[in-house]
Each structure stands twice: as structure tokens, then as C-alpha cells.
Amino acid sequence: MVCIRKATIDDLLAMQACNLLCLPENYQMKYYLYHILSWPQLLYVAEDYNGRIVGYVLAKMEEESNECHGHITSLAVLRTHRKLGLATKLMNAAQAAMEQVFGAEYVSLHVRKSNRAAFNLYTETLGYKIHDVEAKYYADGEDAYDMRKQLKGKQSHHHGHHHQHHHQHGGGCCSGEARSSEVTQTRGDSKSELKASTKSDTKAG
């Protein structure tokens, strides 16, 4: 059995090890620390019955935008634990946290054009759509699909009976306080800032 839970600082080394095994886009430990210190609600891990971290999602809120939105920095699941739906569960957790905790209007991510497994996961299972193509986004020169998924947060803006999920934009959804400290069934993802050295890629699980 594998459980999805919120990540802690103690999980960061295992998350980094999982990243190194699964993806060509790797990060220094300070970048994982930056994420968990800034957006602790948005990092989730998949842990097996032996206590081993077999997958993770690294996410953040995008602060350089007028629209409040989240971004998936990195998603990975060990090859031994794929086809179990773990990537979908990690993504759903992250997306829910972005919307419920921070009031995100949408979530974005980048994926290699050649990564068909991840592309199919995002489009067919998770409902992402291609927003743009970023030429030579990755260090090796490969293009990336810039993908987005609209969250319900923006729609609930116009429906009073969903006021519990309502968020006032304008001053600080992404940089301000988390909306609720009671959210426990949520997860989060986000986008990499240090573009040159931290290009993100994702793998289907």
C-alpha cells in the first residue's frame, strides 16, 4: 500500500533522490528548502508501507503574475511504482491545495514535447490544455509545452453560495497568508523560478 501525505523537511533528501533517479532536471537541496519553507502546503510525497518515498510533487505559487496561480515544478514516481495512479493522486492533491489554501485560479506546468507518457497523463487524465510552446526551454535544447488547467476558484468568484472557496484577489493571494489552516486533504504544485538552472520536467506515474 502507498499513501499520499504532505511532505516534511525530513522528506527532502528522499525527494531529491527520487528526482535524481527519475528525471534529467535536477535541483540543489536549497531549492527544495525554498519550496517547503515558502509553500509547505503544496509539497506531497507517496510513501510505501516500508516508509520509502516512491514519488513526490514539488509545487509553488507563481508570484510574478497578476493572476493568482500555482505551478508544478517537478513530479516524479519511481519506475517500480508506476501504473498505480500515484502521479494522478499527487497532482490532484497539489491542485486542491492551490485552490483551497491559496485561491489559485489555474495551475501551470512545463513538460517536454517528447514525454508522451506525461503529456497523456496531463491531457487525458488531469484535463490540462496546451497554452503555449516554449522553444528550447530545457538545457539540452528541447522545446516544452506550457500547459494550464483552470481551477474552480475563478468560477466560484461569481457564485455567492460557494463563498467558502471565495478568494479576494488583489494584494496578495500568492504572497499573502494561506487561506485556511484546516485543509488536510490537499496537495500542491508549482513552477520553477531560477529558469536557467532549474528547468522543470515531469513524468507520468
Side-chain angles (χ1 to χ4, degrees), residues 121-137:
L121 169 72
Y122 298 137
T123 56
E124 297 176 11
T125 303
L126 294 169
Y128 282 75
K129 298 183 184 302
I130 296 173
H131 175 70
D132 200 359
V133 176
E134 295 200 23
K136 298 182 179 179
Y137 180 83

mmCIF file of all heavy atoms in Angstrom, residues 121-137:
data_model
loop_
_atom_site.group_PDB
_atom_site.id
_atom_site.type_symbol
_atom_site.label_atom_id
_atom_site.label_comp_id
_atom_site.label_asym_id
_atom_site.label_seq_id
_atom_site.Cartn_x
_atom_site.Cartn_y
_atom_site.Cartn_z
ATOM 1 N N LEU A 121 -0.920 11.874 -19.507
ATOM 2 C CA LEU A 121 -1.450 11.988 -18.149
ATOM 3 C C LEU A 121 -2.107 13.355 -17.952
ATOM 4 O O LEU A 121 -3.231 13.455 -17.453
ATOM 5 C CB LEU A 121 -0.324 11.816 -17.125
ATOM 6 C CG LEU A 121 -0.681 12.162 -15.669
ATOM 7 C CD1 LEU A 121 -1.599 11.108 -15.066
ATOM 8 C CD2 LEU A 121 0.577 12.318 -14.828
ATOM 9 N N TYR A 122 -1.403 14.392 -18.351
ATOM 10 C CA TYR A 122 -1.902 15.741 -18.119
ATOM 11 C C TYR A 122 -3.145 16.052 -18.950
ATOM 12 O O TYR A 122 -4.082 16.684 -18.453
ATOM 13 C CB TYR A 122 -0.809 16.773 -18.414
ATOM 14 C CG TYR A 122 0.394 16.620 -17.528
ATOM 15 C CD1 TYR A 122 1.685 16.713 -18.033
ATOM 16 C CD2 TYR A 122 0.248 16.371 -16.161
ATOM 17 C CE1 TYR A 122 2.790 16.573 -17.212
ATOM 18 C CE2 TYR A 122 1.345 16.216 -15.339
ATOM 19 C CZ TYR A 122 2.610 16.323 -15.869
ATOM 20 O OH TYR A 122 3.694 16.165 -15.046
ATOM 21 N N THR A 123 -3.139 15.632 -20.202
ATOM 22 C CA THR A 123 -4.264 15.989 -21.067
ATOM 23 C C THR A 123 -5.466 15.069 -20.881
ATOM 24 O O THR A 123 -6.605 15.538 -20.765
ATOM 25 C CB THR A 123 -3.828 15.972 -22.541
ATOM 26 O OG1 THR A 123 -3.276 14.687 -22.869
ATOM 27 C CG2 THR A 123 -2.786 17.047 -22.812
ATOM 28 N N GLU A 124 -5.225 13.771 -20.851
ATOM 29 C CA GLU A 124 -6.334 12.818 -20.843
ATOM 30 C C GLU A 124 -6.887 12.548 -19.449
ATOM 31 O O GLU A 124 -8.097 12.386 -19.270
ATOM 32 C CB GLU A 124 -5.891 11.502 -21.491
ATOM 33 C CG GLU A 124 -5.515 11.657 -22.966
ATOM 34 C CD GLU A 124 -4.982 10.364 -23.564
ATOM 35 O OE1 GLU A 124 -5.094 9.306 -22.908
ATOM 36 O OE2 GLU A 124 -4.438 10.415 -24.685
ATOM 37 N N THR A 125 -6.013 12.506 -18.450
ATOM 38 C CA THR A 125 -6.454 12.180 -17.093
ATOM 39 C C THR A 125 -6.730 13.418 -16.251
ATOM 40 O O THR A 125 -7.721 13.464 -15.519
ATOM 41 C CB THR A 125 -5.393 11.312 -16.378
ATOM 42 O OG1 THR A 125 -5.143 10.142 -17.153
ATOM 43 C CG2 THR A 125 -5.867 10.902 -14.982
ATOM 44 N N LEU A 126 -5.876 14.418 -16.376
ATOM 45 C CA LEU A 126 -5.956 15.564 -15.475
ATOM 46 C C LEU A 126 -6.580 16.812 -16.092
ATOM 47 O O LEU A 126 -6.825 17.792 -15.383
ATOM 48 C CB LEU A 126 -4.559 15.891 -14.938
ATOM 49 C CG LEU A 126 -3.958 14.809 -14.025
ATOM 50 C CD1 LEU A 126 -2.484 15.079 -13.770
ATOM 51 C CD2 LEU A 126 -4.725 14.737 -12.709
ATOM 52 N N GLY A 127 -6.821 16.809 -17.383
ATOM 53 C CA GLY A 127 -7.548 17.917 -18.003
ATOM 54 C C GLY A 127 -6.750 19.167 -18.308
ATOM 55 O O GLY A 127 -7.314 20.263 -18.398
ATOM 56 N N TYR A 128 -5.452 19.040 -18.496
ATOM 57 C CA TYR A 128 -4.639 20.186 -18.884
ATOM 58 C C TYR A 128 -4.753 20.437 -20.385
ATOM 59 O O TYR A 128 -4.996 19.517 -21.160
ATOM 60 C CB TYR A 128 -3.169 19.955 -18.529
ATOM 61 C CG TYR A 128 -2.848 20.169 -17.073
ATOM 62 C CD1 TYR A 128 -3.222 19.223 -16.120
ATOM 63 C CD2 TYR A 128 -2.189 21.318 -16.640
ATOM 64 C CE1 TYR A 128 -2.946 19.417 -14.775
ATOM 65 C CE2 TYR A 128 -1.903 21.516 -15.291
ATOM 66 C CZ TYR A 128 -2.283 20.566 -14.373
ATOM 67 O OH TYR A 128 -2.013 20.763 -13.042
ATOM 68 N N LYS A 129 -4.532 21.698 -20.771
ATOM 69 C CA LYS A 129 -4.544 22.072 -22.182
ATOM 70 C C LYS A 129 -3.261 22.827 -22.504
ATOM 71 O O LYS A 129 -2.698 23.515 -21.644
ATOM 72 C CB LYS A 129 -5.759 22.947 -22.502
ATOM 73 C CG LYS A 129 -7.099 22.253 -22.257
ATOM 74 C CD LYS A 129 -8.250 23.141 -22.650
ATOM 75 C CE LYS A 129 -9.586 22.472 -22.302
ATOM 76 N NZ LYS A 129 -9.730 21.168 -22.970
ATOM 77 N N ILE A 130 -2.808 22.701 -23.751
ATOM 78 C CA ILE A 130 -1.603 23.409 -24.181
ATOM 79 C C ILE A 130 -1.909 24.904 -24.256
ATOM 80 O O ILE A 130 -2.839 25.327 -24.939
ATOM 81 C CB ILE A 130 -1.109 22.907 -25.540
ATOM 82 C CG1 ILE A 130 -0.695 21.436 -25.446
ATOM 83 C CG2 ILE A 130 0.065 23.752 -26.033
ATOM 84 C CD1 ILE A 130 -0.344 20.814 -26.789
ATOM 85 N N HIS A 131 -1.131 25.696 -23.548
ATOM 86 C CA HIS A 131 -1.281 27.151 -23.582
ATOM 87 C C HIS A 131 -0.294 27.774 -24.570
ATOM 88 O O HIS A 131 -0.606 28.746 -25.248
ATOM 89 C CB HIS A 131 -1.053 27.730 -22.188
ATOM 90 C CG HIS A 131 -1.063 29.224 -22.128
ATOM 91 N ND1 HIS A 131 -2.203 29.966 -22.309
ATOM 92 C CD2 HIS A 131 -0.052 30.132 -21.920
ATOM 93 C CE1 HIS A 131 -1.921 31.254 -22.209
ATOM 94 N NE2 HIS A 131 -0.619 31.377 -21.981
ATOM 95 N N ASP A 132 0.908 27.203 -24.646
ATOM 96 C CA ASP A 132 1.948 27.763 -25.498
ATOM 97 C C ASP A 132 3.045 26.723 -25.655
ATOM 98 O O ASP A 132 3.045 25.694 -24.975
ATOM 99 C CB ASP A 132 2.520 29.030 -24.844
ATOM 100 C CG ASP A 132 3.248 29.935 -25.839
ATOM 101 O OD1 ASP A 132 3.327 29.566 -27.028
ATOM 102 O OD2 ASP A 132 3.745 30.994 -25.410
ATOM 103 N N VAL A 133 3.971 26.993 -26.541
ATOM 104 C CA VAL A 133 5.178 26.182 -26.684
ATOM 105 C C VAL A 133 6.375 27.081 -26.426
ATOM 106 O O VAL A 133 6.495 28.151 -27.024
ATOM 107 C CB VAL A 133 5.289 25.552 -28.093
ATOM 108 C CG1 VAL A 133 6.614 24.795 -28.226
ATOM 109 C CG2 VAL A 133 4.116 24.625 -28.362
ATOM 110 N N GLU A 134 7.220 26.683 -25.497
ATOM 111 C CA GLU A 134 8.420 27.463 -25.197
ATOM 112 C C GLU A 134 9.619 26.786 -25.854
ATOM 113 O O GLU A 134 10.026 25.694 -25.461
ATOM 114 C CB GLU A 134 8.619 27.583 -23.686
ATOM 115 C CG GLU A 134 7.517 28.375 -23.002
ATOM 116 C CD GLU A 134 7.933 28.902 -21.640
ATOM 117 O OE1 GLU A 134 9.157 29.046 -21.400
ATOM 118 O OE2 GLU A 134 7.030 29.168 -20.832
ATOM 119 N N ALA A 135 10.141 27.450 -26.869
ATOM 120 C CA ALA A 135 11.245 26.882 -27.642
ATOM 121 C C ALA A 135 12.507 26.760 -26.800
ATOM 122 O O ALA A 135 12.850 27.676 -26.029
ATOM 123 C CB ALA A 135 11.516 27.749 -28.866
ATOM 124 N N LYS A 136 13.162 25.614 -26.918
ATOM 125 C CA LYS A 136 14.447 25.366 -26.256
ATOM 126 C C LYS A 136 14.388 25.672 -24.759
ATOM 127 O O LYS A 136 15.323 26.233 -24.183
ATOM 128 C CB LYS A 136 15.552 26.190 -26.934
ATOM 129 C CG LYS A 136 15.751 25.822 -28.395
ATOM 130 C CD LYS A 136 16.869 26.615 -29.040
ATOM 131 C CE LYS A 136 17.059 26.210 -30.483
ATOM 132 N NZ LYS A 136 18.138 26.978 -31.156
ATOM 133 N N TYR A 137 13.313 25.280 -24.131
ATOM 134 C CA TYR A 137 13.126 25.550 -22.698
ATOM 135 C C TYR A 137 14.122 24.775 -21.839
ATOM 136 O O TYR A 137 14.612 25.272 -20.831
ATOM 137 C CB TYR A 137 11.694 25.175 -22.313
ATOM 138 C CG TYR A 137 11.355 25.402 -20.860
ATOM 139 C CD1 TYR A 137 10.978 26.666 -20.406
ATOM 140 C CD2 TYR A 137 11.404 24.352 -19.936
ATOM 141 C CE1 TYR A 137 10.660 26.880 -19.073
ATOM 142 C CE2 TYR A 137 11.084 24.564 -18.602
ATOM 143 C CZ TYR A 137 10.717 25.831 -18.181
ATOM 144 O OH TYR A 137 10.404 26.026 -16.866
#
